[in-house]
Amino acid sequence: MTRPTDSSASIAPASAHTDHFARDHLPPPELWPELRFDLPELQYPPRLNCVAELLDGAADVDGRTAILGEHASWSYAALRERVDRIAHVLRGPMGLEAGNRVLLRGANNPMMAACILAVIKAGCIAVPTMPLLRARELSAIAGKSQINAVLCAESLRAELEAVDPPLPPAVRANTLWFGGESCQLEAMMAAQPARFEAVDTAADDVCLISFTSGTTGIPKGTMHFHRDVLAICDCFPRSVLRSRPSDVFIGTPPLAFTFGLGGLLLFPLRVGAAAVLLEKLTPETLLKAIEKYRATVCFTAPTFYRQMAQMAGDCDLASLLASVSAGEALPPATREAWRRATGLEMIDGIGATELLHIFISAAGDQVRAGATGKPVPGYQACILGQDGKPVGPGVIGRLAVKGPTGCRYLADARQRDYVLDGWNLTGDAYEMDADGYFYYRSRTDDMIISAGYNIAGPEVEDALLRHPAVAECGVIGRADEERGQIVEAHVVLKPEVAPSPQLAAQLQDFVKQQIAPYKYPRSIRFLKALPRTETGKLQRFKLRTENP
Ligand code: 3UK
């Protein structure tokens, strides 16, 4: 519950946490990015429980649907009751205190959503994990965030029990299973009161530790406050997406990925809309589900849109008003294919786990060809040159961002790499135009340097994707004695096309006709599929290392 701001608002309000682990492991203040609250809607009171804010007002609205799943449809009141009962289980029988960390595991479904919300409402810290994570990664995440308890879907039980090195005995003793045959958590909920008074947390108490999907290296835990959760709802969805109570949100990103947590749970709740949570979606089943649920807003990654564009003709997508693409660069060829198939102008948006959600984007007639967009109101962005100073239009440099959210790694030396002079450095090479539009070029460390030329892989990928034989592709720099690096394309062909040296030569010519010839791929390899993370990102390092 939030109290009116009082005269002591300028003094940092006391944490509600009795377990101070999170606060103790925040980076030192001088390593934080600058935080800016430049809009009226970003002025949050010093005490704030974001889940109380999202649920306790809306829950009184008669019968409105909050969450739909394969086997469930919950009104706001029904969702709130479940969240409250789970919060009682956490603080009662499980014996947790405010500030404890709860590891969460489950596919996208209504119970997983209720569990995340309950942990936060109970004053604890949610540590959601992606279903496909394997034993070693899970063990690292559990260790780094020093978890106190686990809520896990019964369907992922075997995997969790195989975690190696095993979870500490106290954590194993405090693990509850939901769904499946046993419905252990559900049975305990039934014995609890239907109302839970939200823990009166400080706006800057940590409520979420989200681990970066990380295409390389050891996972980094990013720490987010109650106020951050509301701030992302009051930025992109409000000014770019313009979501409304009548919206029905659907899509693929896992709730354990902040792209999904925001797009498929927090954003709909913030405006009193409905969220459809479905497991194991494919491009085909997502299209069917949009039709079935009359979804109005879709969140997924570029490769899903590319595949859906080819099948969209078989479905009635008339309900769809907005399609949001994030996670990796949206090739213009994919934007065009989706527009041809559906008549919709996609909303591209760049977000990051460190900043929780999207901070540069554009919608409708604000979309400019090839650009991600402009800073979302509430955020600022610029391009930094090699000397760390902002550069003007037309120069490629490092993308730097600041706004109401920003990077705070859990006990991680890499904090120094992400924050420079108050700016968050996302690791992306971008370029700005004279009108303030931002253009993605590549990841900073993926820029290909061949015979002295800088070549951005995604531009070559976009050219290849326009060839009718190409389903997907990934372009990397391969070490080369003569040129330093050469451009190498890894191409997945459409099912009806067979690979051949002739086709490779055709693809090379095709690229040369569209972009500067020096950028053409000197090497072409045909693959059955591209290596991707669970969040839909191409793992370029695997293309480099697994195909020597
Ligand atoms: C890349 C993009 C070009 C970019 C995310 C929306 O992807 C998300 O978070 P991650 O921490 O990765 C961040 C990095 O992914 N990227 C994301 N979107 C785009 N590149 N165009 C885009 N539209 O390299 C960025 O630095 O996994 C996305 C919302 C929440 C998220 N966490």
Side-chain angles (χ1 to χ4, degrees):
M1 297 301 296
T2 53
R3 281 200 219 117
T5 314
D6 58 32
S7 55
S8 62
S10 55
I11 302 162
S15 169
H17 291 175
T18 48
D19 172 346
H20 300 130
F21 171 85
R23 211 165 269 257
D24 291 347
H25 289 87
L26 283 167
E30 65 275 16
L31 296 184
W32 288 29
E34 184 189 344
L35 298 172
R36 304 197 57 98
F37 304 89
D38 293 336
L39 303 174
E41 54 270 31
L42 299 176
Q43 311 305 311
Y44 300 107
R47 299 203 80 78
L48 182 70
N49 184 305
C50 62
V51 172
E53 208 62 35
L54 292 174
L55 283 184
D56 291 356
D60 301 327
V61 182
D62 278 345
R64 201 188 290 168
T65 304
I67 298 193
L68 292 142
E70 193 91 54
H71 310 290
S73 167
W74 296 349
S75 66
Y76 271 83
L79 170 63
R80 177 186 176 175
E81 182 183 327
R82 281 177 174 86
V83 167
D84 283 7
R85 288 179 188 275
I86 299 169
H88 274 295
V89 172
L90 293 162
R91 297 303 299 269
M94 292 181 87
L96 295 177
E97 58 176 293
N100 280 173
R101 276 79 51 217
V102 182
L103 189 91
L104 292 143
R105 281 187 73 58
N108 283 7
N109 60 50
M111 251 322 256
M112 175 69 176
C115 287
I116 297 172
L117 297 169
V119 167
I120 297 175
K121 193 168 183 182
C124 299
I125 298 172
V127 186
T129 56
M130 259 156 328
L132 291 184
L133 280 187
R134 287 295 163 257
R136 200 160 35 85
E137 298 154 301
L138 265 177
S139 199
I141 288 172
K144 190 129 198 208
S145 48
Q146 296 278 298
I147 57 164
N148 305 90
V150 181
L151 298 179
C152 179
E154 183 71 56
S155 57
L156 297 172
R157 184 176 193 140
E159 191 74 48
L160 187 74
E161 286 178 339
V163 164
D164 187 30
L167 300 178
V171 174
R172 271 183 288 160
N174 220 357
T175 295
L176 290 184
W177 314 96
F178 59 87
E181 296 276 284
S182 76
C183 284
Q184 183 191 20
L185 174 59
E186 287 89 336
M188 289 173 75
M189 285 161 66
Q192 297 295 324
R195 278 286 165 112
F196 179 90
E197 185 69 20
V199 171
D200 183 27
T201 38
D204 64 354
D205 273 332
V206 173
C207 66
L208 173 72
I209 302 178
S210 181
F211 280 83
T212 57
S213 39
T215 44
T216 47
I218 309 155
K220 291 171 275 196
T222 64
M223 301 208 273
H224 304 285
F225 300 154
H226 283 266
R227 102 178 152 223
D228 301 341
V229 167
L230 294 186
I232 58 162
C233 297
D234 296 337
C235 286
F236 168 78
R238 188 177 164 123
S239 49
V240 181
L241 180 59
R242 295 175 183 275
S243 39
R244 301 163 311 168
S246 55
D247 278 323
V248 178
F249 288 67
I250 202 166
T252 60
L255 290 174
F257 178 29
T258 66
F259 181 35
L261 184 67
L264 300 179
L265 184 62
L266 306 173
F267 298 172
L269 296 183
R270 185 63 166 162
V271 293
V276 183
L277 292 174
L278 299 170
E279 308 180 12
K280 301 200 181 89
L281 286 166
T282 63
E284 208 160 10
T285 58
L286 176 54
L287 281 171
K288 296 254 157 62
I290 293 171
E291 178 173 324
K292 176 174 169 193
Y293 292 93
R294 310 300 299 157
T296 63
V297 181
C298 177
F299 279 78
T300 189
T303 104
F304 252 71
Y305 284 115
R306 181 163 178 85
Q307 296 171 67
M308 290 199 301
Q310 286 164 41
M311 319 169 201
D314 307 335
C315 295
D316 172 9
L317 304 179
S319 61
L320 203 57
L321 303 172
S323 34
V324 180
S325 170
E328 64 177 1
L330 173 64
T334 301
R335 177 188 282 286
E336 289 158 27
W338 183 246
R339 196 198 296 127
R340 276 196 301 275
T342 65
L344 292 169
E345 188 66 77
M346 226 181 294
I347 303 178
D348 186 11
I350 176 171
T353 308
E354 287 82 353
L355 286 127
L356 255 191
H357 222 273
I358 292 173
F359 45 81
I360 294 176
S361 182
D365 53 14
Q366 299 295 305
V367 169
R368 187 167 287 194
T372 314
K374 290 184 172 183
V376 171
Y379 288 90
Q380 304 176 356
C382 69
I383 310 293
L384 299 182
Q386 275 169 350
D387 58 359
K389 300 266 172 339
V391 296
V395 184
I396 298 178
R398 291 182 290 171
L399 178 65
V401 190
K402 61 173 84 157
T405 58
C407 179
R408 285 172 306 249
Y409 289 130
L410 162 61
D412 204 307
R414 289 169 286 186
Q415 180 75 20
R416 287 180 187 276
D417 304 333
Y418 206 90
V419 178
L420 180 74
D421 294 338
W423 293 97
N424 295 277
L425 299 184
T426 62
D428 298 296
Y430 258 79
E431 182 178 333
M432 214 173 62
D433 70 13
D435 299 322
Y437 278 88
F438 285 77
Y439 296 74
Y440 176 82
R441 294 302 179 223
S442 75
R443 290 288 299 169
T444 340
D445 42 19
D446 281 340
M447 193 57 86
I448 303 165
I449 304 169
S450 185
Y453 288 110
N454 280 346
I455 301 166
E459 186 187 3
V460 185
E461 287 161 17
D462 183 60
L464 281 166
L465 288 173
R466 291 170 191 275
H467 191 281
V470 175
E472 282 200 284
C473 64
V475 168
I476 56 155
R478 161 94 46 210
D480 180 77
E481 234 166 72
E482 196 186 328
R483 295 170 184 272
Q485 281 183 316
I486 56 162
V487 177
E488 178 173 278
H490 296 248
V491 175
V492 179
L493 294 169
K494 295 214 176 121
E496 65 274 14
V497 188
S500 69
Q502 290 76 17
L503 180 56
Q506 273 174 29
L507 291 175
Q508 289 171 324
D509 284 340
F510 185 75
V511 172
K512 284 187 203 166
Q513 282 159 28
Q514 296 177 71
I515 55 178
Y518 68 84
K519 297 175 181 171
Y520 88 97
R522 285 174 189 269
S523 160
I524 293 202
R525 296 175 178 219
F526 295 107
L527 298 185
K528 290 258 176 300
L530 295 179
R532 289 192 183 276
T533 64
E534 199 175 353
T535 58
K537 283 190 216 301
L538 178 62
Q539 293 168 301
R540 287 173 203 277
F541 73 99
K542 284 200 179 159
L543 293 179
R544 280 191 286 265
T545 54
E546 287 179 9
N547 303 280

